[in-house]
Every structure is written in C-alpha cells, then in structure tokens.
Amino acid sequence: MTIAKLTETDVRGKRVFIRADLNVPQDEAGNITEDTRIRASLPSIRYCLENGASAVMVTSHLGRPAEGTVRAEDTLMPVAVRLGQLLERPVRLVPDWVDGGFEAHEGEVLLLENCRCNVGEKKDDEALARKMAALCDIYVNDAFGTAHRAEATTHAMARFAPVACAGVLMGAEIDALTRATSNPARPLVAIVGGAKVSSKLTILRTLAEKVDQLIVGGGIANTFLLASGKRIGQSLAETDLVKEAQAIIDMMKERGAEVPLPVDVVVADELSALARANRISIDEVGAHDRILDVGPKTAARLADIIAHAGTIVWNGPVGVFEYDQFAGGTKMLASAIAHSSAFCIAGGGDTLAAIAKFDIANDVGYISTGGGAFLEFLEGKTLPAIAALER
Ligand code: ADP
Ligand code: MG
C-alpha cells in the first residue's frame, strides 16, 4: 500500500484542507463529554502550523444532521472552542464555506462547519467535491473513523485536489493495522467479545481463516457455547447463529487452530448493578442463570494464551464490565494485554471504554479511533477513503 503522507509533504505557503474526525459525544447542553478524537487530530494540525502552511482549514461531521441546514445540535462550535483550548490559539468557525470567500490570518486555524450539513456530502457528490477541492492546495484525510464511508470529504475530494495525502492519525492507523494483519508475529490471537454474534459475524469468519487462537467472549461466547452443546440458561445468545458458530469452530479445528471456550463463568439471575454474582463451572449453569462474565479459571487460561502471543487483535469485552461484579474477566484480560510483550491493536467503542476503565491505554500497542472502520479493515475490505488516497 503506497499512500502519500502529510509528514512527507511540503506545506509551506500552502492552503491545507484537513478532513478530520471530530465527531465527539456531547451531553444535552452540547458540552463535549469525551474529547479523544479532537486530541487525536492535533498532530496533523500542528504539523501544518509548524511547517508554515498559509491556511489550515479543518472540517468534520458531527452527529447525523440533515443536509441543507445547520440545526443547533449540528454546529461544530463546541468543537471549535475545545480545539482552540488544546492548540492554545484561536480557532474560528466558518459557516457556509463551500463557495469560499473567507480568509485565514497568519497562523489561524479555521474550522469549517459540519461537513455533513452540505448538500451532496453523503452521496459523494462530484460537484460538491470539486468546489471543496478548489479551496485548497493540499487535501489531507485524517478521519480514519469514517474511512469506511465514501462521502464527498472522505472520498471524491481526493480526486480533485492538487495533492491528496493521509494525515498523521490516518497514517498511524494504516501502519498499525497493516502490521497486525499482514505478516504478523505469531501466534496471532484475536479476542472478539461483546454482545452479539450477528454484529460481528463477518469479522469472526475472516479472523477464523487467519488467527491461531480465536477467543470469543460475552454474548458471542454464549452462542459458541450453545454450538458446543452446553446449557446457557437465560443468557444472551442468538440461537439462529449456532450453525455459524459451529462452522467457525470446525474451520479453526481443520487448520489446527482453536476457539477456547469458557470452562467456568460468572452468572446472576438478572442483569443489573445490584445483581448477585455466582462463580460456577460451565456444566453447572441452571435454567434461570444468565452468564455475564467468564470465571477465574477461564480468565487465567486466556491470560496464559495472551502471555504467549506474538500479535493480539482485541475487539469487545468478555463480560458486562460496566458492573464491577461482572468486570473480572475483562479486567484480567486487560491486565494480561498490558503485560504481554506482543504487539496489540485494540478498537471498538466499548473496548476503548474498558481500556480507559482498567487504565491500560499506555500499555496497548495501538488503540484505533475507528469502530466500524477498524472492523472493516480487519475484515480485509478496501476502505473507500484509503483507496481514494492510493490513487
Ligand atoms: P465494542 O463496542 O467494543 O465493539 P460491543 O458493542 O460489541 O463492543 O459489545 C459491548 C457490550 O457487550 C457491553 O456493553 C457489554 O456489557 C456487553 N456484554 C459483554 N458480555 C456480555 C454478556 N455475557 N451478556 C450480555 N452482554 C454482554
Ligand atoms: Mg459497542
């Protein structure tokens, strides 16, 4: 994969347009509740400022606006304020920017209003892309989180801008994901946890063809337990996907690889913060039990697999880690990853929350900012935004 990179591009005196992913969560009053994505976008902006770009224009989508209007909840204003604080310089929000007509002062960062409010953005419209490309000398895509979508600012624009390159974050994401997927250090261990098999079926199938061990956790493990003939009581599972789970187990066996299943679990009779947790062997699960975490024996076994891994790919918790009594398995897993010398790449909204909860961010090789894009890259799909940069 050869892609031009911002850090190998001369930006002096140039107008740079950065498509970032600043789609941060907000509370009802519009306050930003979590700013990781803004922080992750700083290196590209700083690179342009430090290397004498004549204008630094940044845009992003925020939420799911309707095209053609900017409602109160759509504006990037709160993002402009936070970005200004982090950069320690003014960031001016520019409304109605598609047709140009605005100037940047020396060293000023312009935040161009929510790009998904522009008519034609979602449809990857060529006329819109041409107009936006005319605003800049260099187009930078740094929005890995939306790399799996072909939209005017993530895809068509790359074709019409004089220069198109990957930002610092996009470059780091591509490098880390490529390292974990092409020619990874073995054994390659994947952990796929979370709630439902259906949301991760493609990734499970793809990984089953590549990895040495496929650790399944959470509701996903329950469906695999059913496939292996275990009773799971009232646990979350998808009975219509038991055959799929069986096929994955068989495919792994044929390759001499394995899907290690829980030998003990933590159960409760309800899923709530006050639920009383019981640790039992997998063969003791009763008709009214819900499996909400893996037990200590299973966690120790998983930790051992992780300790001997060469590369680890992690998406999804192995239990309802939001409640402390069901967090033990995911905590043990997090700790094993933190102590492992393997290169670990992790991604997914709730996975990132688990990484934060157990405070291991500094000990994970690479934490992806992409949820959907992260999974699609691992599935071996060509991401439209990356393909556009390759041309
Ligand atoms: P990610 O966002 O990292 O991709 P998912 O969204 O697929 O992860 O899954 C995370 C959710 O799965 C968490 O909210 C967690 O509580 C839930 N979960 C984990 N284990 C179980 C289980 N045994 N039963 C029900 N839900 C579970
Ligand atoms: Mg999630």
Side-chain angles (χ1 to χ4, degrees), residues 74-88:
D74 302 331
T75 182
L76 285 175
M77 188 44 111
V79 175
V81 173
R82 179 62 59 92
L83 188 58
Q85 289 164 348
L86 293 170
L87 288 170
E88 297 180 319

Side-chain angles (χ1 to χ4, degrees), residues 194-195 200 315 317 348-351:
K200 297 185 181 175
N315 169 259
D350 294 288
T351 308

Side-chain angles (χ1 to χ4, degrees), residues 102-103 115 131 162 208-209 224:
F102 54 88
E103 291 287 329
C115 59
K131 278 192 201 172
E209 286 169 13
F224 278 78

Side-chain angles (χ1 to χ4, degrees), residues 193-195 200 218-219 222 236 291-292 315-320 322 347-351:
K200 297 185 181 175
N222 295 339
L236 174 70
I291 302 174
L292 298 172
N315 169 259
V318 295
V320 182
E322 293 91 338
D350 294 288
T351 308

Side-chain angles (χ1 to χ4, degrees), residues 361-384:
N362 293 330
D363 305 301
V364 179
Y366 192 79
I367 300 174
S368 177
T369 55
F374 171 76
L375 291 177
E376 288 197 18
F377 192 109
L378 293 179
E379 283 162 16
K381 288 191 186 143
T382 307
L383 306 190

